[in-house]
Short mmCIF file of all heavy atoms in Angstrom, two decimals:
data_model
loop_
_atom_site.label_atom_id
_atom_site.label_comp_id
_atom_site.label_asym_id
_atom_site.label_seq_id
_atom_site.Cartn_x
_atom_site.Cartn_y
_atom_site.Cartn_z
N MET Y 10 -122.51 -154.88 20.72
CA MET Y 10 -121.70 -153.76 21.11
C MET Y 10 -121.91 -152.63 20.00
O MET Y 10 -122.02 -151.48 20.34
CB MET Y 10 -120.19 -154.17 21.04
CG MET Y 10 -119.23 -153.03 21.32
SD MET Y 10 -117.54 -153.59 21.16
CE MET Y 10 -117.09 -153.06 19.54
N ILE Y 11 -121.87 -152.96 18.76
CA ILE Y 11 -121.92 -151.94 17.65
C ILE Y 11 -123.41 -151.28 17.75
O ILE Y 11 -123.49 -150.07 17.65
CB ILE Y 11 -121.78 -152.61 16.30
CG1 ILE Y 11 -120.29 -152.93 16.19
CG2 ILE Y 11 -122.19 -151.66 15.27
CD1 ILE Y 11 -119.91 -153.66 14.93
N GLU Y 12 -124.34 -152.17 18.05
CA GLU Y 12 -125.79 -151.58 18.11
C GLU Y 12 -125.86 -150.62 19.28
O GLU Y 12 -126.58 -149.61 19.14
CB GLU Y 12 -126.73 -152.72 18.25
CG GLU Y 12 -126.81 -153.57 17.02
CD GLU Y 12 -127.14 -152.97 15.67
OE1 GLU Y 12 -127.92 -152.01 15.69
OE2 GLU Y 12 -126.57 -153.36 14.69
N SER Y 13 -125.24 -150.87 20.42
CA SER Y 13 -125.40 -149.89 21.52
C SER Y 13 -124.65 -148.64 21.21
O SER Y 13 -125.13 -147.59 21.68
CB SER Y 13 -124.76 -150.57 22.75
OG SER Y 13 -123.37 -150.82 22.73
N LEU Y 14 -123.56 -148.70 20.49
CA LEU Y 14 -122.88 -147.52 20.03
C LEU Y 14 -123.70 -146.70 19.08
O LEU Y 14 -123.80 -145.44 19.13
CB LEU Y 14 -121.49 -147.85 19.48
CG LEU Y 14 -120.41 -148.34 20.35
CD1 LEU Y 14 -119.29 -148.83 19.56
CD2 LEU Y 14 -120.00 -147.23 21.36
N ILE Y 15 -124.39 -147.31 18.23
CA ILE Y 15 -125.29 -146.70 17.28
C ILE Y 15 -126.46 -145.92 17.96
O ILE Y 15 -126.83 -144.87 17.71
CB ILE Y 15 -125.75 -147.52 16.16
CG1 ILE Y 15 -124.53 -148.09 15.34
CG2 ILE Y 15 -126.79 -146.94 15.26
CD1 ILE Y 15 -124.78 -149.21 14.40
N ALA Y 16 -126.94 -146.70 18.95
CA ALA Y 16 -128.06 -146.23 19.78
C ALA Y 16 -127.71 -145.04 20.51
O ALA Y 16 -128.57 -144.18 20.86
CB ALA Y 16 -128.54 -147.30 20.65
N SER Y 17 -126.46 -144.86 20.81
CA SER Y 17 -126.00 -143.76 21.69
C SER Y 17 -125.78 -142.44 20.78
O SER Y 17 -125.51 -141.32 21.41
CB SER Y 17 -124.64 -144.04 22.33
OG SER Y 17 -123.52 -144.17 21.45
N LEU Y 18 -125.99 -142.57 19.46
CA LEU Y 18 -125.81 -141.35 18.62
C LEU Y 18 -126.97 -140.50 19.04
O LEU Y 18 -128.09 -140.79 19.45
CB LEU Y 18 -125.89 -141.71 17.17
CG LEU Y 18 -124.74 -142.44 16.55
CD1 LEU Y 18 -124.99 -142.85 15.07
CD2 LEU Y 18 -123.46 -141.60 16.58
N SER Y 19 -126.77 -139.18 18.68
CA SER Y 19 -127.63 -138.22 18.94
C SER Y 19 -128.94 -138.42 18.08
O SER Y 19 -128.86 -138.91 17.05
CB SER Y 19 -127.06 -136.85 18.43
OG SER Y 19 -128.08 -135.82 18.37
N ASP Y 20 -130.09 -137.88 18.62
CA ASP Y 20 -131.35 -138.16 17.95
C ASP Y 20 -131.39 -137.35 16.52
O ASP Y 20 -132.21 -137.63 15.68
CB ASP Y 20 -132.49 -137.62 18.80
CG ASP Y 20 -132.77 -138.54 19.97
OD1 ASP Y 20 -132.37 -139.65 19.87
OD2 ASP Y 20 -133.43 -138.05 20.92
N GLU Y 21 -130.47 -136.39 16.42
CA GLU Y 21 -130.29 -135.56 15.31
C GLU Y 21 -129.59 -136.29 14.10
O GLU Y 21 -129.60 -135.87 13.03
CB GLU Y 21 -129.56 -134.28 15.67
CG GLU Y 21 -130.35 -133.45 16.67
CD GLU Y 21 -129.54 -132.18 16.94
OE1 GLU Y 21 -128.44 -131.93 16.47
OE2 GLU Y 21 -129.93 -131.50 17.93
N ALA Y 22 -128.98 -137.37 14.44
CA ALA Y 22 -128.28 -138.10 13.45
C ALA Y 22 -129.23 -138.76 12.40
O ALA Y 22 -130.33 -139.28 12.89
CB ALA Y 22 -127.40 -139.32 14.10
N SER Y 23 -128.96 -138.65 11.19
CA SER Y 23 -129.76 -139.17 10.21
C SER Y 23 -129.64 -140.70 9.95
O SER Y 23 -128.62 -141.32 10.52
CB SER Y 23 -129.57 -138.43 8.80
OG SER Y 23 -128.33 -138.81 8.32
N GLU Y 24 -130.60 -141.35 9.28
CA GLU Y 24 -130.31 -142.67 9.07
C GLU Y 24 -129.10 -143.02 8.27
O GLU Y 24 -128.42 -143.95 8.44
CB GLU Y 24 -131.64 -143.31 8.39
CG GLU Y 24 -132.81 -143.46 9.16
CD GLU Y 24 -132.54 -144.36 10.42
OE1 GLU Y 24 -131.95 -145.45 10.28
OE2 GLU Y 24 -132.88 -144.03 11.62
N LYS Y 25 -128.85 -142.05 7.33
CA LYS Y 25 -127.59 -142.31 6.49
C LYS Y 25 -126.39 -142.24 7.45
O LYS Y 25 -125.46 -143.02 7.35
CB LYS Y 25 -127.46 -141.22 5.42
CG LYS Y 25 -126.28 -141.38 4.58
CD LYS Y 25 -126.23 -140.30 3.49
CE LYS Y 25 -124.94 -140.35 2.67
NZ LYS Y 25 -124.82 -139.42 1.67
N ASP Y 26 -126.36 -141.19 8.38
CA ASP Y 26 -125.22 -141.07 9.24
C ASP Y 26 -125.18 -142.32 10.18
O ASP Y 26 -123.98 -142.82 10.42
CB ASP Y 26 -125.40 -139.91 10.15
CG ASP Y 26 -125.22 -138.64 9.52
OD1 ASP Y 26 -124.61 -138.64 8.36
OD2 ASP Y 26 -125.76 -137.54 9.94
N ARG Y 27 -126.24 -142.83 10.64
CA ARG Y 27 -126.22 -144.11 11.47
C ARG Y 27 -125.64 -145.24 10.64
O ARG Y 27 -124.95 -146.04 11.21
CB ARG Y 27 -127.56 -144.44 11.97
CG ARG Y 27 -128.07 -143.47 13.00
CD ARG Y 27 -129.60 -143.70 13.40
NE ARG Y 27 -130.11 -142.66 14.31
CZ ARG Y 27 -129.75 -142.57 15.63
NH1 ARG Y 27 -129.10 -143.53 16.18
NH2 ARG Y 27 -130.33 -141.64 16.32
N HIS Y 28 -126.04 -145.40 9.39
CA HIS Y 28 -125.62 -146.48 8.63
C HIS Y 28 -124.13 -146.40 8.34
O HIS Y 28 -123.45 -147.34 8.46
CB HIS Y 28 -126.47 -146.43 7.23
CG HIS Y 28 -125.81 -147.49 6.27
ND1 HIS Y 28 -126.21 -148.84 6.50
CD2 HIS Y 28 -125.03 -147.41 5.14
CE1 HIS Y 28 -125.64 -149.55 5.46
NE2 HIS Y 28 -125.01 -148.67 4.64
N LEU Y 29 -123.67 -145.20 8.12
CA LEU Y 29 -122.19 -144.87 7.81
C LEU Y 29 -121.40 -145.18 9.05
O LEU Y 29 -120.28 -145.79 9.01
CB LEU Y 29 -121.96 -143.54 7.32
CG LEU Y 29 -122.42 -143.15 5.87
CD1 LEU Y 29 -122.19 -141.76 5.58
CD2 LEU Y 29 -121.73 -144.12 4.95
N PHE Y 30 -121.91 -144.84 10.20
CA PHE Y 30 -121.22 -145.01 11.55
C PHE Y 30 -121.14 -146.54 11.83
O PHE Y 30 -120.14 -147.07 12.16
CB PHE Y 30 -122.01 -144.29 12.65
CG PHE Y 30 -121.39 -144.41 13.94
CD1 PHE Y 30 -120.13 -143.87 14.15
CD2 PHE Y 30 -122.09 -144.89 15.03
CE1 PHE Y 30 -119.53 -143.79 15.38
CE2 PHE Y 30 -121.49 -144.91 16.29
CZ PHE Y 30 -120.26 -144.41 16.46
N LYS Y 31 -122.22 -147.27 11.42
CA LYS Y 31 -122.21 -148.70 11.66
C LYS Y 31 -121.15 -149.45 10.71
O LYS Y 31 -120.54 -150.30 11.20
CB LYS Y 31 -123.58 -149.26 11.34
CG LYS Y 31 -123.79 -150.64 11.56
CD LYS Y 31 -125.29 -151.13 11.43
CE LYS Y 31 -125.60 -152.55 11.73
NZ LYS Y 31 -127.09 -152.84 11.61
N LEU Y 32 -121.08 -148.93 9.44
CA LEU Y 32 -120.16 -149.49 8.61
C LEU Y 32 -118.56 -149.21 9.08
O LEU Y 32 -117.85 -150.11 9.02
CB LEU Y 32 -120.36 -148.94 7.15
CG LEU Y 32 -121.54 -149.31 6.47
CD1 LEU Y 32 -121.68 -148.66 5.03
CD2 LEU Y 32 -121.57 -150.88 6.20
N ALA Y 33 -118.43 -148.01 9.55
CA ALA Y 33 -117.14 -147.69 10.09
C ALA Y 33 -116.78 -148.52 11.27
O ALA Y 33 -115.67 -149.06 11.40
CB ALA Y 33 -117.11 -146.19 10.39
N LEU Y 34 -117.73 -148.57 12.22
CA LEU Y 34 -117.44 -149.57 13.35
C LEU Y 34 -117.19 -150.96 12.96
O LEU Y 34 -116.27 -151.56 13.51
CB LEU Y 34 -118.68 -149.42 14.30
CG LEU Y 34 -118.86 -148.28 15.07
CD1 LEU Y 34 -120.23 -148.23 15.74
CD2 LEU Y 34 -117.75 -147.93 15.99
N ARG Y 35 -117.89 -151.52 12.07
CA ARG Y 35 -117.53 -152.89 11.55
C ARG Y 35 -116.20 -153.03 11.08
O ARG Y 35 -115.52 -154.00 11.24
CB ARG Y 35 -118.67 -153.29 10.52
CG ARG Y 35 -119.93 -153.63 11.15
CD ARG Y 35 -120.95 -154.10 10.08
NE ARG Y 35 -122.14 -154.50 10.66
CZ ARG Y 35 -123.33 -154.74 10.00
NH1 ARG Y 35 -123.36 -154.64 8.76
NH2 ARG Y 35 -124.48 -155.10 10.67
N GLN Y 36 -115.74 -152.05 10.24
CA GLN Y 36 -114.42 -152.05 9.76
C GLN Y 36 -113.34 -152.07 10.78
O GLN Y 36 -112.39 -152.65 10.79
CB GLN Y 36 -114.19 -150.89 8.69
CG GLN Y 36 -114.94 -151.15 7.40
CD GLN Y 36 -114.45 -152.34 6.62
OE1 GLN Y 36 -113.32 -152.58 6.52
NE2 GLN Y 36 -115.45 -153.12 6.18
N LEU Y 37 -113.64 -151.11 11.83
CA LEU Y 37 -112.66 -151.03 12.92
C LEU Y 37 -112.61 -152.46 13.65
O LEU Y 37 -111.51 -152.82 14.12
CB LEU Y 37 -113.15 -149.89 13.93
CG LEU Y 37 -112.93 -148.49 13.30
CD1 LEU Y 37 -113.56 -147.52 14.36
CD2 LEU Y 37 -111.52 -148.22 13.16
N VAL Y 38 -113.75 -153.10 13.81
CA VAL Y 38 -113.70 -154.40 14.53
C VAL Y 38 -112.86 -155.38 13.75
O VAL Y 38 -112.18 -156.05 14.23
CB VAL Y 38 -115.22 -154.86 14.74
CG1 VAL Y 38 -115.23 -156.33 15.26
CG2 VAL Y 38 -115.82 -153.92 15.81
N LYS Y 39 -113.10 -155.41 12.39
CA LYS Y 39 -112.38 -156.27 11.60
C LYS Y 39 -110.91 -156.07 11.68
O LYS Y 39 -110.08 -157.05 11.78
CB LYS Y 39 -112.82 -156.19 10.10
CG LYS Y 39 -114.10 -156.78 9.83
CD LYS Y 39 -114.47 -156.59 8.33
CE LYS Y 39 -115.82 -157.03 7.99
NZ LYS Y 39 -116.16 -156.84 6.53
N ILE Y 40 -110.43 -154.76 11.66
CA ILE Y 40 -109.04 -154.44 11.75
C ILE Y 40 -108.49 -154.83 13.13
O ILE Y 40 -107.41 -155.40 13.17
CB ILE Y 40 -108.74 -152.89 11.57
CG1 ILE Y 40 -109.13 -152.53 10.01
CG2 ILE Y 40 -107.42 -152.48 11.90
CD1 ILE Y 40 -109.25 -151.14 9.80
N ALA Y 41 -109.25 -154.64 14.13
CA ALA Y 41 -108.77 -155.01 15.51
C ALA Y 41 -108.66 -156.48 15.59
O ALA Y 41 -107.71 -156.90 16.19
CB ALA Y 41 -109.84 -154.43 16.56
N LYS Y 42 -109.61 -157.25 15.12
CA LYS Y 42 -109.45 -158.77 15.03
C LYS Y 42 -108.22 -159.14 14.35
O LYS Y 42 -107.47 -160.10 14.77
CB LYS Y 42 -110.72 -159.42 14.51
CG LYS Y 42 -111.94 -159.27 15.52
CD LYS Y 42 -113.13 -159.96 14.82
CE LYS Y 42 -114.35 -159.80 15.75
NZ LYS Y 42 -115.55 -160.45 15.12
N ALA Y 43 -108.02 -158.52 13.13
CA ALA Y 43 -106.75 -159.03 12.40
C ALA Y 43 -105.53 -158.66 13.19
O ALA Y 43 -104.54 -159.45 13.05
CB ALA Y 43 -106.98 -158.32 11.02
N GLU Y 44 -105.52 -157.53 13.83
CA GLU Y 44 -104.32 -157.16 14.57
C GLU Y 44 -104.14 -158.15 15.72
O GLU Y 44 -102.99 -158.46 16.04
CB GLU Y 44 -104.41 -155.72 14.92
CG GLU Y 44 -104.27 -154.73 13.80
CD GLU Y 44 -104.35 -153.25 14.28
OE1 GLU Y 44 -104.70 -153.04 15.54
OE2 GLU Y 44 -104.14 -152.44 13.54
N GLN Y 45 -105.19 -158.57 16.33
CA GLN Y 45 -105.10 -159.45 17.51
C GLN Y 45 -104.55 -160.77 17.04
O GLN Y 45 -103.62 -161.51 17.61
CB GLN Y 45 -106.47 -159.66 18.08
CG GLN Y 45 -106.88 -158.43 18.93
CD GLN Y 45 -108.36 -158.66 19.54
OE1 GLN Y 45 -109.03 -159.43 19.07
NE2 GLN Y 45 -108.54 -157.85 20.66
N VAL Y 46 -105.05 -161.33 15.84
CA VAL Y 46 -104.57 -162.56 15.30
C VAL Y 46 -103.09 -162.45 14.96
O VAL Y 46 -102.32 -163.34 15.30
CB VAL Y 46 -105.42 -162.98 14.04
CG1 VAL Y 46 -104.78 -164.15 13.35
CG2 VAL Y 46 -106.81 -163.32 14.47
N GLN Y 47 -102.72 -161.36 14.41
CA GLN Y 47 -101.27 -161.20 14.01
C GLN Y 47 -100.41 -161.18 15.39
O GLN Y 47 -99.38 -161.75 15.42
CB GLN Y 47 -101.11 -159.84 13.22
CG GLN Y 47 -99.63 -159.60 12.88
CD GLN Y 47 -99.44 -158.36 11.96
OE1 GLN Y 47 -100.39 -157.60 11.79
NE2 GLN Y 47 -98.20 -158.04 11.76
N ALA Y 48 -100.92 -160.49 16.35
CA ALA Y 48 -100.16 -160.38 17.64
C ALA Y 48 -99.96 -161.79 18.24
O ALA Y 48 -99.01 -162.22 18.73
CB ALA Y 48 -100.79 -159.41 18.57
N ILE Y 49 -101.07 -162.56 18.16
CA ILE Y 49 -101.02 -163.94 18.68
C ILE Y 49 -100.08 -164.85 17.89
O ILE Y 49 -99.22 -165.57 18.45
CB ILE Y 49 -102.41 -164.61 18.77
CG1 ILE Y 49 -103.34 -163.90 19.69
CG2 ILE Y 49 -102.35 -166.09 18.82
CD1 ILE Y 49 -104.73 -164.28 19.61
N GLU Y 50 -100.07 -164.58 16.59
CA GLU Y 50 -99.11 -165.40 15.68
C GLU Y 50 -97.65 -164.93 16.04
O GLU Y 50 -96.79 -165.86 16.12
CB GLU Y 50 -99.46 -165.23 14.21
CG GLU Y 50 -100.67 -165.83 13.84
CD GLU Y 50 -101.08 -165.45 12.39
OE1 GLU Y 50 -100.50 -164.54 11.84
OE2 GLU Y 50 -101.99 -166.11 11.86
N GLU Y 51 -97.49 -163.72 16.30
CA GLU Y 51 -96.07 -163.26 16.59
C GLU Y 51 -95.61 -163.81 17.94
O GLU Y 51 -94.59 -164.20 18.14
CB GLU Y 51 -96.00 -161.74 16.57
CG GLU Y 51 -96.17 -161.13 15.16
CD GLU Y 51 -96.25 -159.71 15.04
OE1 GLU Y 51 -96.32 -159.00 16.10
OE2 GLU Y 51 -96.35 -159.22 13.99
N ASP Y 52 -96.56 -163.78 18.93
CA ASP Y 52 -96.25 -164.33 20.29
C ASP Y 52 -95.94 -165.87 20.10
O ASP Y 52 -94.98 -166.35 20.77
CB ASP Y 52 -97.38 -164.11 21.26
CG ASP Y 52 -97.55 -162.71 21.65
OD1 ASP Y 52 -96.63 -161.92 21.34
OD2 ASP Y 52 -98.67 -162.32 22.19
N PHE Y 53 -96.71 -166.54 19.36
CA PHE Y 53 -96.56 -168.01 19.13
C PHE Y 53 -95.06 -168.24 18.52
O PHE Y 53 -94.35 -169.04 18.98
CB PHE Y 53 -97.53 -168.66 18.34
CG PHE Y 53 -97.38 -170.05 18.21
CD1 PHE Y 53 -97.74 -170.98 19.10
CD2 PHE Y 53 -96.81 -170.63 16.91
CE1 PHE Y 53 -97.57 -172.42 18.81
CE2 PHE Y 53 -96.68 -171.90 16.75
CZ PHE Y 53 -97.10 -172.80 17.71
N ASP Y 54 -94.81 -167.46 17.52
CA ASP Y 54 -93.52 -167.52 16.83
C ASP Y 54 -92.34 -167.39 17.87
O ASP Y 54 -91.38 -168.04 17.80
CB ASP Y 54 -93.44 -166.67 15.62
CG ASP Y 54 -94.29 -167.04 14.53
OD1 ASP Y 54 -94.79 -168.10 14.42
OD2 ASP Y 54 -94.59 -166.15 13.61
N ALA Y 55 -92.50 -166.34 18.68
CA ALA Y 55 -91.46 -166.05 19.61
C ALA Y 55 -91.28 -167.16 20.66
O ALA Y 55 -90.21 -167.56 20.95
CB ALA Y 55 -91.80 -164.69 20.39
N VAL Y 56 -92.36 -167.67 21.20
CA VAL Y 56 -92.35 -168.75 22.13
C VAL Y 56 -91.73 -169.95 21.46
O VAL Y 56 -90.86 -170.59 22.01
CB VAL Y 56 -93.70 -169.05 22.60
CG1 VAL Y 56 -93.71 -170.39 23.47
CG2 VAL Y 56 -94.19 -167.85 23.58
N TYR Y 57 -92.12 -170.31 20.21
CA TYR Y 57 -91.61 -171.44 19.55
C TYR Y 57 -90.12 -171.34 19.36
O TYR Y 57 -89.33 -172.31 19.54
CB TYR Y 57 -92.31 -171.59 18.08
CG TYR Y 57 -91.79 -172.69 17.31
CD1 TYR Y 57 -92.17 -174.05 17.61
CD2 TYR Y 57 -90.84 -172.54 16.35
CE1 TYR Y 57 -91.68 -175.16 16.98
CE2 TYR Y 57 -90.36 -173.62 15.57
CZ TYR Y 57 -90.81 -174.92 15.85
OH TYR Y 57 -90.36 -175.90 15.15
N LYS Y 58 -89.62 -170.16 18.99
CA LYS Y 58 -88.17 -169.95 18.78
C LYS Y 58 -87.41 -170.18 20.10
O LYS Y 58 -86.34 -170.84 19.99
CB LYS Y 58 -87.86 -168.55 18.27
CG LYS Y 58 -88.28 -168.43 16.71
CD LYS Y 58 -88.12 -166.95 16.35
CE LYS Y 58 -88.56 -166.79 14.89
NZ LYS Y 58 -88.48 -165.36 14.34
N VAL Y 59 -87.90 -169.65 21.15
CA VAL Y 59 -87.26 -169.80 22.47
C VAL Y 59 -87.24 -171.34 22.85
O VAL Y 59 -86.21 -171.85 23.16
CB VAL Y 59 -87.95 -169.01 23.53
CG1 VAL Y 59 -87.49 -169.51 24.94
CG2 VAL Y 59 -87.75 -167.56 23.30
N LEU Y 60 -88.30 -172.02 22.65
CA LEU Y 60 -88.43 -173.42 23.00
C LEU Y 60 -87.57 -174.33 22.09
O LEU Y 60 -86.97 -175.28 22.48
CB LEU Y 60 -89.81 -173.90 22.97
CG LEU Y 60 -90.78 -173.42 23.99
CD1 LEU Y 60 -92.20 -173.90 23.75
CD2 LEU Y 60 -90.31 -173.73 25.37
N SER Y 61 -87.34 -173.80 20.80
CA SER Y 61 -86.60 -174.72 19.94
C SER Y 61 -85.15 -174.56 20.07
O SER Y 61 -84.33 -175.33 19.65
CB SER Y 61 -86.97 -174.26 18.41
OG SER Y 61 -86.61 -173.04 18.21
N LEU Y 62 -84.73 -173.50 20.86
CA LEU Y 62 -83.34 -173.15 21.25
C LEU Y 62 -82.85 -174.19 22.20
O LEU Y 62 -81.69 -174.30 22.51
CB LEU Y 62 -83.16 -171.80 21.57
CG LEU Y 62 -83.25 -170.74 20.39
CD1 LEU Y 62 -83.06 -169.39 21.03
CD2 LEU Y 62 -82.24 -171.07 19.30
N ARG Y 63 -83.71 -174.78 22.95
CA ARG Y 63 -83.48 -175.61 24.28
C ARG Y 63 -82.93 -177.01 23.71
O ARG Y 63 -83.11 -177.60 22.96
CB ARG Y 63 -84.69 -175.85 25.04
CG ARG Y 63 -85.00 -174.55 25.65
CD ARG Y 63 -86.15 -174.69 26.76
NE ARG Y 63 -86.36 -173.57 27.52
CZ ARG Y 63 -87.05 -173.56 28.61
NH1 ARG Y 63 -87.67 -174.61 29.05
NH2 ARG Y 63 -87.13 -172.47 29.23
#
């Protein structure tokens, strides 16, 4: 996914720009994964609380 986004950059983009773009995309992916894990944990906690009230 990241490689295809980098490939879509303009031919005018320098190698440095491509490298910085790649680093930024990797950070965004890490953040997104962390947020997904947190959301899953929160959902699990909510379900656990509901089930434990029964």
Side-chain angles (χ1 to χ4, degrees):
M10 179 182 99
I11 291 176
E12 296 301 325
S13 65
L14 290 171
I15 293 169
S17 71
L18 288 175
S19 167
D20 291 338
E21 297 173 6
S23 68
E24 284 303 313
K25 181 180 178 182
D26 290 340
R27 290 178 187 278
H28 177 72
L29 292 174
F30 187 60
K31 186 175 186 177
L32 291 176
L34 288 173
R35 284 184 177 164
Q36 288 299 316
L37 289 172
V38 168
K39 285 181 186 177
I40 291 167
K42 286 180 181 177
E44 288 177 355
Q45 287 176 338
V46 168
Q47 182 179 358
I49 290 168
E50 289 173 346
E51 289 171 359
D52 288 347
F53 179 80
D54 289 344
V56 170
Y57 179 78
K58 288 177 184 174
V59 168
L60 292 176
S61 65
L62 294 175
R63 290 183 172 195

